[in-house]
Amino acid sequence: ARTAPNGTVPAAAPAGHADTALNGTAPASAGAVPVGSVAPAEAAAVSVGSVASAGAAPLASAAPAEAGGSAGSVVPVGPSGAPAPAVISPLVRRLARENGLSLDRVTGTGPGGVIRRADVERELAALAAPTAAPTAAPTAAPTAVPTPAPSAEPAAGRRIPLRGLRGAVAEKLATSRREIPEATVWVDVDATEFLAARAALPSVSLLALLARFTVLGLKKFPELNSRVEGDEIVVLDQVNLGFAAQTDRGLVVPVVRDAQSLTTAELASAIAAHTASAREGRLSPAALTGGTFTVNNYGVFGVDGSAAIINHPEAAILGIGRIIDRPWAVDGQLAVRKVAQLTLAFDHRVCDGGTAGGFLRFVADCVESPIKALADL
C-alpha cells in the first residue's frame, strides 16, 4: 500500500465513501472512481492535486487519526496550508472579487459548507451597514411588521354628555345657527343716568330696567317680536320676554309671560323670582319655553360686547356689556362718563337694518335718559 507524505498508512475509506467533487458528483479527471465502487480493502487516500476540476482548490490527503482528523475525510486548503473557501460557481468568485470581499470571511451555507451567492450577498450587506452585527450563521429574512392602525379608542379627557338641559340648549343653539340668517348692530351709550335711575329704584335691577325699555321698543317696532313659520312672518301681540341666566347647570333662559302688561316693579319682581328658581333648579319646562324676545346682561362676565346667538325660534336678542368709565363728549366738553355697549342680533328675514337700527337707537335713548322714558309709562 502507498503511504501518506508523513509515512503513515492511511486508513481505508469505508465502502461507498470515495472522494467526490464539492457538488457531490464524481470528479471528471481520468481514473476517477465512481461513488460506491471502492471496496474496503482497495480504498486509498487521494493525493494532493488529484482533483482536475477547473478552478477547484486542491485537496489535502486524509489526516491521521492521532492528529484529530476523521479517517478518510478531505478538506480544501489554500496555498498557505490553511483551509480554503469552498466555492464552486465562478459567478460567486467574481461577485466577491468585484466587491473586494475576501472569501475567507464568508461562511458557506451550501452542502458541505459550499459558499453560495446568497452567502456573499449577505456578507456584502453586513459590510454596507457597519452598525449591524455580523452573523456567523444564516438568519431568516426579517419579517415586515405591519403598521398599526390608528387607535379607535376615544381621546382621553373629561366627557360631558349633551343630554338633558345641556343637550336641549345645544340643539336649540345649533338650530338657530343653521336656520336664522342673523345680522348684528351695536351702539355705545352713556349709561350714567341709567345707573342713577337704578340707584333711585333699589328693587329694580339693571336687567329689569333694560327689560322695561325693551318692551317699550317692541311696542314701537313689533317686527322684532315675531317668528318665521314656513313662508310667513308671524308678528306676535304678546311679549313673552326671555332673559339669560347663568346657573350651575349652565345657561338657561327663563321666560316672563305677558311682559307688555306688567309694570316696571312687577317685571322686576318676576325676573328676580325666575332667576332664583333657575339657580335652584326649580324652573318648570313651561317657564323655559315660549319666549318671543330675549335680553341678556353679558356685562356681568366683564366683556364689552357680544354677537349673541338668537334663541330660536325668536327673531332677535338684545344685550348690554359692562359699564365702565370712558371719556365722553358732553355738551361739547370732554368728560368721564359711565359708558356701555348695546348689541342687537336679529333675523334679517323679519326686518331690514332700518327697523333693527331704529329699535336699537330707541332703547339706547331710554338708557341715556331713563327718567324721561319712565315718565311715559
Side-chain angles (χ1 to χ4, degrees):
R2 292 180 297 168
T3 61
N6 59 2
T8 61
V9 178
H17 194 72
D19 293 326
T20 61
L22 297 180
N23 61 359
T25 61
S29 58
V33 181
V35 176
S37 63
V38 181
E42 300 171 349
V46 181
S47 62
V48 176
S50 62
V51 179
S53 299
L59 299 179
S61 60
E66 63 268 25
S70 58
S73 62
V74 293
V75 294
V77 296
S80 61
V87 182
I88 296 176
S89 172
L91 295 177
V92 173
R93 290 183 178 277
R94 185 174 66 183
L95 178 63
R97 182 173 61 253
E98 290 177 350
N99 288 276
L101 175 65
S102 174
L103 290 172
D104 294 335
R105 62 180 298 165
V106 180
T107 301
T109 60
V114 171
I115 298 176
R116 300 181 300 182
R117 179 171 183 170
D119 301 325
V120 174
E121 292 176 342
R122 184 184 68 249
E123 189 66 27
L124 291 175
L127 292 175
T131 57
T135 56
T139 56
T143 304
V145 179
T147 303
S151 175
E153 296 181 0
R158 186 166 65 100
R159 292 183 168 274
I160 302 174
L162 282 177
R163 295 194 294 266
L165 176 62
R166 186 179 293 274
V169 171
E171 178 59 28
K172 178 167 285 193
L173 294 176
T175 301
S176 177
R177 282 298 194 204
R178 286 195 303 267
E179 297 185 6
I180 298 179
E182 64 184 39
T184 304
V185 291
W186 60 91
V187 63
D188 290 339
V189 295
D190 180 356
T192 305
E193 297 300 324
F194 186 60
L195 292 178
R198 163 66 179 83
L201 301 170
S203 62
V204 180
S205 66
L206 287 177
L207 181 61
L209 202 54
L210 180 64
R212 175 78 278 169
F213 299 151
T214 297
V215 172
L216 288 176
L218 292 176
K219 184 178 180 179
K220 291 182 174 294
F221 299 92
E223 298 93 334
L224 291 168
N225 190 56
S226 64
R227 64 182 55 182
V228 175
E229 295 182 358
D231 58 354
E232 294 182 326
I233 298 173
V234 181
V235 180
L236 305 169
D237 297 329
Q238 183 181 15
V239 177
N240 293 335
L241 191 67
F243 62 95
Q246 188 68 38
T247 71
D248 293 338
R249 302 169 60 202
L251 184 68
V252 297
V253 183
V255 176
V256 177
R257 298 184 181 278
D258 293 314
Q260 80 283 352
S261 63
L262 301 178
T263 66
T264 301
E266 291 172 339
L267 183 57
S269 178
I271 290 176
H274 279 59
T275 299
S277 297
R279 289 174 178 167
E280 295 170 3
R282 296 186 292 103
L283 280 178
S284 66
L288 294 170
T289 58
T292 62
F293 191 97
T294 298
V295 291
N296 187 6
N297 179 14
Y298 41 74
V300 297
F301 302 116
V303 298
D304 297 328
S306 171
I309 298 177
I310 298 171
N311 190 19
H312 184 274
E314 299 172 13
I317 180 172
L318 174 70
I320 185 171
R322 60 177 181 163
I323 301 175
I324 59 175
D325 290 340
R326 288 183 181 175
W328 195 262
V330 180
D331 297 329
Q333 299 294 320
L334 190 62
V336 176
R337 305 287 285 183
K338 301 294 185 180
V339 178
Q341 185 181 94
L342 291 174
T343 306
L344 175 70
F346 65 98
D347 185 340
H348 220 315
R349 295 174 298 177
V350 303
C351 68
D352 55 22
T355 299
F359 168 84
L360 185 61
R361 186 66 257 173
F362 173 82
V363 175
D365 290 342
C366 291
V367 169
E368 291 184 337
S369 303
I371 302 301
K372 180 181 178 180
L374 292 173
D376 295 333
L377 296 178

